[in-house]
Amino acid sequence: MYRIKAIFSNVQLLKRIGITLALLFIFRITTWIPIPLIDTSSISEFISGNDFLAILNNFTGNALGRFSIMAMGISPYITASIVVQMLQMDIVPILKEWSEQGETGKQKLNKLTRILGLVLAFVQSLVLLLGLGVAGSEFLPDILSPSPILYIYMSLVVTAGAAFAMYIADLITRKGIGNGTSLLIVAGIITSLPSMITLLWGKYITNGNGGWDIVLFIAVILIYLAVLLGVTFLELAKRRIPIQYANRQAGQGKTNSDLPIKLNTAGVIPVIFASTILSIPLSISGMFGLNTSSSLGSWLDQIFNYQQPIGFVLYIGLIVVFTFFYSFLMLNPETVAGNLSKSNAYIPGVRPGLDTQNYIARLMFKITLLGTVYLVILAAMPIVTSIVFGFNSTESQAIVLGGTSLLIVVGVAIETTNQVETEANDQEYKGIF
């Protein structure tokens, strides 16, 4: 109650929340604006049969399925951010130098990320349109025929939509409550929740036989709520390493602190990477008209479809690899140990330097191992529950119990809540003097 009162008594924070809601509303309106000269009926059918595009469609709030000007949404910018972040790790020396130049280097990296995001938006939209053209040009009106100029025009429209999404996200970050990029993704995911409830109601209540179907409906809802609570609890779970500061006396600042390590340091990135890598071959084969009836299409489906046994094992293996890789990328033991030495800080009972680095590395491995198990279970839940409850392909895409979407929503909700509370408390403390 105190936190709610602090938020609503802060006029400046309320303005920021209002600006954020207005910008999200504008963004949602633009997802309904179609690309001129496009017939989206056949596109929706094509996307629903492609796992990778179905995931991307979920992140864009069905904007890709409607093939609106926001068909790519903020996804190219996120991909560019991940690529630039990974290239900073001694892969491209100039990017590593920029990352160490403070605010100036940060501005250079942000500019590079935006440019790369726009390039990716153009390339992705062009490849998708060309693939649809190979599969069949039904998405074009009868008065038009496929031509390079037409494809480039449509790709530029989608790229302009991605640029507008970046602009909205930046406004939310600067003028709103922050986390603009993440909030745009969450805004797209949340819009699928009403359709999920509607589909469940129609399946088990309206078209059900009563009795057992009602029990199944209640069971699905309870599982969803249980997974939601479990993900929230585990996303907040941290292992705190005690830190002591040498040569610091009372009155000169805190003499002790802690280093928090999240259970899920890597976040949702490993799941996105794994599903993306597996879905690329299936997307390419689908664009060229290969289906499971052909020998090559069936072979690709067995290996890269994570709803098949071989594909599922490969999917889990990729999640494990990417979780360890990205966790140690985000929290490098060598960097942490070096920062502690520079701050005259140490872990009680552990020598500074190499011993501290090895201690953090061992602890990171144990925590990441638990976090990997958590991510694997969460990623496998939609697949397992679809089989247990007998969902068809359309139902399994709409009724998601666990998975990437829920992890993103919970993570962003926690981060945004903490940021709002921090802003409210900061304004309250400023008002004392």
Side-chain angles (χ1 to χ4, degrees):
M1 185 62 67
Y2 169 77
R3 294 177 179 176
I4 296 176
K5 183 180 179 181
I7 292 173
F8 280 94
S9 61
N10 191 318
V11 178
Q12 187 64 29
L13 180 58
L14 289 178
K15 289 181 180 179
R16 287 179 172 269
I17 294 175
I19 292 173
T20 301
L21 293 176
L23 290 172
L24 289 176
F25 180 71
I26 293 173
F27 174 75
R28 289 304 304 164
I29 289 177
T30 56
T31 62
W32 288 89
I33 301 176
I35 299 176
L37 309 177
I38 286 285
D39 179 14
T40 60
S41 57
S42 59
I43 294 179
S44 300
E45 296 176 2
F46 180 84
I47 291 174
S48 62
N50 187 294
D51 291 332
F52 173 62
L53 295 181
I55 293 173
L56 189 60
N57 186 37
N58 191 27
F59 288 165
T60 60
N62 203 33
L64 180 59
R66 292 187 289 267
F67 222 79
S68 73
I69 60 175
M70 290 292 179
M72 292 292 110
I74 198 70
S75 298
Y77 177 78
I78 295 174
T79 304
S81 300
I82 296 172
V83 170
V84 171
Q85 189 176 19
M86 294 181 67
L87 292 178
Q88 295 175 34
M89 306 304 295
D90 291 329
I91 298 177
V92 179
I94 185 64
L95 297 185
K96 182 174 176 58
E97 292 180 11
W98 288 356
S99 65
E100 297 172 351
Q101 291 178 358
E103 189 63 29
T104 302
K106 185 178 179 181
Q107 292 177 1
K108 294 179 181 178
L109 290 172
N110 287 338
K111 184 177 181 180
L112 175 63
T113 304
R114 294 176 188 278
I115 295 173
L116 182 59
L118 292 178
V119 172
L120 287 175
F122 179 79
V123 173
Q124 289 176 354
S125 57
L126 184 60
V127 169
L128 178 60
L129 286 165
L130 289 174
L132 290 170
V134 171
S137 58
E138 293 85 0
F139 65 94
L140 293 176
D142 296 334
I143 59 174
L144 294 177
S145 59
S147 66
I149 298 298
L150 184 61
Y151 281 111
I152 292 175
Y153 151 73
M154 291 186 290
S155 299
L156 287 175
V157 171
V158 175
T159 304
F164 185 70
M166 294 180 197
Y167 176 68
I168 293 291
D170 185 60
L171 283 179
I172 293 176
T173 301
R174 291 188 293 109
K175 305 292 185 179
I177 58 177
N179 302 325
T181 303
S182 302
L183 286 176
L184 290 189
I185 297 180
V186 171
I189 295 174
I190 290 179
T191 56
S192 64
L193 186 59
S195 62
M196 169 182 162
I197 301 299
T198 303
L199 187 60
L200 282 173
W201 185 269
K203 179 179 177 64
Y204 292 116
I205 304 301
T206 305
N207 301 322
N209 299 321
W212 182 245
D213 284 338
I214 296 177
V215 173
L216 288 176
F217 175 78
I218 296 174
V220 172
I221 297 299
L222 290 178
I223 290 174
Y224 186 85
L225 294 176
V227 172
L228 179 61
L229 292 174
V231 170
T232 303
F233 175 77
L234 291 174
E235 283 298 301
L236 291 171
K238 296 178 182 177
R239 170 69 161 86
R240 298 184 180 276
I241 305 175
I243 301 295
Q244 293 283 343
Y245 290 93
N247 302 325
R248 184 177 290 182
Q249 300 177 355
Q252 295 180 344
K254 294 180 63 177
T255 58
N256 60 358
S257 181
D258 56 64
L259 174 65
I261 301 179
K262 292 182 61 177
L263 175 67
N264 180 25
T265 306
V268 74
I269 300 299
V271 181
I272 294 178
F273 273 10
S275 58
T276 300
I277 289 177
L278 287 180
S279 299
I280 288 175
L282 295 178
S283 302
I284 295 175
S285 64
M287 290 176 181
F288 285 94
L290 295 176
N291 51 45
T292 54
S293 61
S294 63
S295 58
L296 179 58
S298 176
W299 181 76
L300 290 173
D301 185 73
Q302 290 291 329
I303 294 178
F304 296 105
N305 187 349
Y306 53 70
Q307 294 184 342
Q308 301 291 342
I310 298 176
F312 181 77
V313 173
L314 184 59
Y315 179 55
I316 298 302
L318 287 173
I319 291 177
V320 173
V321 171
F322 283 128
T323 301
F324 275 93
F325 174 77
Y326 203 74
S327 295
F328 279 84
L329 181 66
M330 294 294 293
L331 193 62
N332 191 319
E334 182 180 358
T335 303
V336 173
N339 292 336
L340 289 176
S341 298
K342 293 177 183 177
S343 304
N344 288 326
Y346 64 94
I347 300 174
V350 182
R351 291 182 177 180
L354 185 59
D355 287 351
T356 298
Q357 178 182 333
N358 293 335
Y359 175 82
I360 295 174
R362 288 194 300 269
L363 194 59
M364 275 284 297
F365 180 84
K366 296 176 182 178
I367 295 173
T368 304
L369 184 62
L370 293 175
T372 302
V373 174
Y374 154 60
L375 272 184
V376 166
I377 293 175
L378 189 63
M381 276 200 68
I383 303 172
V384 175
T385 52
S386 296
I387 297 174
V388 171
F389 289 99
F391 298 149
N392 56 39
S393 59
T394 303
E395 292 171 344
S396 61
Q397 290 176 9
I399 306 171
V400 181
L401 302 179
T404 308
S405 302
L406 188 59
L407 186 61
I408 292 175
V409 171
V410 172
V412 174
I414 293 173
E415 186 178 354
T416 303
T417 301
N418 292 336
Q419 192 160 344
V420 169
E421 289 183 358
T422 302
E423 181 74 15
N425 292 332
D426 183 55
Q427 292 293 331
E428 184 177 351
Y429 295 148
K430 287 180 180 179
I432 295 177
F433 302 100

